Structure formats: structure tokens, C-alpha cells
Amino acid sequence: MGNPPTRCLDAEVLAAYLDHGVSLAERARVEAHLASCPQCLALVAGVARTVAALPADRTGVVSAAASTSLLTRRTLARSVDRKSTRLNSSH
């Protein structure tokens, strides 16, 4: 029989991955999961596009890195909530 399906990663782990805030071992674990999970891969790709589309000049922002990290976490959390709602409503 094949391997059991892996559990999707939580929004905090995915946000840290996108913000380059994980260890090399954790990065490898996330990338292995993304290689086998089209839902998480689409989620990460969508958030990466959103963050990339932000204007480079964020006047009035104390730290661009901190604001991007916060935006990434919030966007992922919302996306995960929507994904969970869709999955729960389809059963």
C-alpha cells in the first residue's frame, strides 16, 4: 500500500517558510510536503504572489520585513480558514 496522506501544514509554518524564518531541516520538510500537496502549494503560491504585488515603497511602515511577515501570516490564516470552511461544507 502507499504512504498515508500527510497532514497539511498550519498557517504559521507556511508563513515562516515564506518569510525565510525556518531552519534548513524545517524548510526541507515544508518543501517535501508542498511537493505532494497541491492545496498547500496553491496556498503558498497565492500568498507569495500577493506579497510580491505589494508596493516596494511602504511609507510609514516601521519595518518592511515585519509588515510583510504579518501580512503573510494574516493572508495564510484567512486562506486556511476559507479552505477549512469549504472542506467542512462539502461533507
Side-chain angles (χ1 to χ4, degrees), residues 14-87:
L14 293 174
Y17 170 79
L18 285 168
D19 292 335
H20 306 288
V22 295
S23 67
L24 290 176
E26 184 71 1
R27 183 172 261 316
R29 184 178 81 85
V30 171
E31 288 174 354
H33 177 78
L34 293 175
S36 66
C37 183
Q39 292 88 356
C40 286
L41 182 59
L43 182 63
V44 166
V47 172
R49 281 191 304 274
T50 300
V51 171
L54 293 173
D57 177 27
R58 294 185 191 112
T59 306
V61 175
V62 175
S63 166
S67 66
T68 299
S69 177
L70 179 61
L71 175 67
T72 302
R73 287 194 304 272
R74 286 181 179 168
T75 303
L76 277 168
R78 287 182 189 131
S79 296
V80 168
D81 287 344
R82 284 188 211 122
K83 179 181 167 185
S84 296
T85 301
R86 282 194 308 266
L87 290 174

